[in-house]
Each structure stands twice: as C-alpha cells, then as structure tokens.
C-alpha cells in the first residue's frame, strides 16, 4: 500500500524515495516538507524558536495525518523513530525500509549541505567535516538500534548510486 523510508540524515531517503515513487507509479511525500508547511517556517527555525520537542510533536501529527495514504512512498525525517508512539503508526502504513550508510559517507553528504540540519550544526552552521563526522557517530550510536527495530528490511547504500539503491528496493518489494 505504501513504502516507508527511514534512516539517518543524508541517507538519501528523499532522492531515492523520488526515484522509487516514479518507478512504482506511487506519489512521493516527505514528512519534513509537510512539517515545514504546517509550521510555516523552516526546520532550523522550528528548532531555534520552538525547540526539538515541538518539532517532534509536529512530526507525530504529520505521521498521523498520513494514515489514509495509499500508494505513497513516504520519506521520514531521520529522528521519526525516536518516539515510541510513532512506531505503530508507521508499521500500519506499510513496509519500512532502512537506508543504511557508513558514518563517513553520511558526514560527507551532510557537510555538503550546511545550515539545514540543526541537530548536526548546533550553534554554528560552519562545522568542519571531522566535526560533522564526530556528531554523526554520536547520534548514530543512539539511533542504530531504533532504526533496526523499526525496519522490515535494511538496504546498505554506501558506495551505491541512488539508481542502484532504488533497484535493490524494487527487488526486495517484488
Ligand atoms: C532530523 C532529521 C531531519 C529533520 C530534522 C531532524 C533527525 O530530516 O527531520 O532536522 O532528528 O535526524 P532528514 O533525515 O531528512 O535530514
């Protein structure tokens, strides 16, 4: 009915999700975009002005609002697995694919888009690559068990193009 993509920031959920949606003839939706629409401001501004707890409330509201979706590829924010209560909502929507990548690769991709991920940037949007990688490793250590618990399948993306990741997903879905 739907396919859900979870994984750390920079895992390629949006890029690969759009490709997969095209391939399956599904609609693509990204929960971060819906949160931004609902809040009327960017994610860094939500974090700075309202705090992470408010962001997580909005994220749960958005996940709840997707309950009636059919034939959608749904890309979730990297922290959507943090709230225990989100899990049954996600599980009910369709199979959950965890896009995994090495900390080095995640850090490289995140570093290329500074100022967009408040949980990485902290107070300064100008973190060096080693600083980003250190933060990625810290957060990934907390998140890994959560991703693995939520996932129906793990797809390793390190060193693969979006097209190759998409093909693996189609193979698994078939
Ligand atoms: C977050 C990931 C971000 C966004 C927010 C928090 C996280 O989404 O939801 O900055 O906690 O990992 P992406 O995974 O799409 O970057």
């Amino acid at each position: 009915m739907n396919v859900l993509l979870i994984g750390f920031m920079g895992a390629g959920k949006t890029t690969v999700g759009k490709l997969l949606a095209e391939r399956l003839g599904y609609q693509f939706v990204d929960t971060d975009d819906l949160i931004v629409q609902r809040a009327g401001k960017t994610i860094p501004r939500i974090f700075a002005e309202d705090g992470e707890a408010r962001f997580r409330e909005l994220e749960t509201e958005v996940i709840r609002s997707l309950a009636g979706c059919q034939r959608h590829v749904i890309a979730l924010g990297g922290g959507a697995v943090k709230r225990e209560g989100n899990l049954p909502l996600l599980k009910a929507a369709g199979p959950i694919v965890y896009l995994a990548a090495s900390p080095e690769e995640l850090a490289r991709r995140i570093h290329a888009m500074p100022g967009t991920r408040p949980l990485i940037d902290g107070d300064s949007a100008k973190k060096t690559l080693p600083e980003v990688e250190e933060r990625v490793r810290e957060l990934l250590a907390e998140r890994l068990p959560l991703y693995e618990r939520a996932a129906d399948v793990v797809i390793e993306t390190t060193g693969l193009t979006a097209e190759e990741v998409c093909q693996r997903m189609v193979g698994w879905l078939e």
Side-chain angles (χ1 to χ4, degrees):
M1 45 181 166
N2 300 291
V3 181
L4 286 82
L5 302 182
I6 61 168
F8 203 81
M9 295 168 260
K13 301 176 295 278
T14 304
T15 312
V16 171
K18 284 181 179 165
L19 266 181
L20 182 68
E22 210 172 282
R23 193 67 40 91
L24 299 175
Y26 281 19
Q27 297 286 315
F28 173 76
V29 65
D30 186 319
T31 56
D32 282 344
D33 291 343
L34 300 180
I35 293 168
V36 168
Q37 278 173 24
R38 219 166 246 250
K41 51 183 154 183
T42 63
I43 290 174
R45 272 190 60 205
I46 301 171
F47 271 77
E49 294 171 14
D50 311 316
E52 180 177 353
R54 176 66 190 140
F55 176 84
R56 297 295 169 206
E57 279 169 19
L58 287 165
E59 190 169 51
T60 299
E61 281 174 24
V62 161
I63 291 171
R64 233 182 243 124
S65 77
L66 294 172
C69 274
Q70 298 282 347
R71 298 171 65 87
H72 278 64
V73 174
I74 303 171
L76 281 310
V81 291
K82 276 182 74 177
R83 274 192 165 187
E84 188 90 31
N86 290 344
L87 272 197
L89 300 169
L90 299 175
K91 289 265 179 205
I96 302 180
V97 180
Y98 167 39
L99 296 182
S102 70
E104 294 84 357
E105 184 140 341
L106 293 169
R108 264 198 304 277
R109 296 188 197 151
I110 293 169
H111 186 252
M113 293 183 69
T116 58
R117 266 88 173 213
L119 286 180
I120 299 287
D121 298 330
D123 293 335
S124 86
K126 289 213 172 142
K127 284 211 153 63
T128 62
L129 182 57
E131 285 169 338
V132 172
E133 191 176 319
E134 194 186 327
R135 182 74 181 129
V136 168
R137 285 180 189 279
E138 216 173 78
L139 280 175
L140 199 53
E142 288 168 19
R143 299 269 181 91
L144 204 54
L146 305 180
Y147 293 134
E148 287 177 346
R149 181 187 61 174
D152 293 303
V153 65
V154 181
I155 299 208
E156 184 52 62
T157 71
T158 306
L160 298 184
T161 64
E163 182 57 46
E164 287 165 336
V165 175
C166 182
Q167 272 164 19
R168 285 186 190 202
M169 276 199 287
V170 171
W172 181 78
L173 288 166
E174 279 168 1

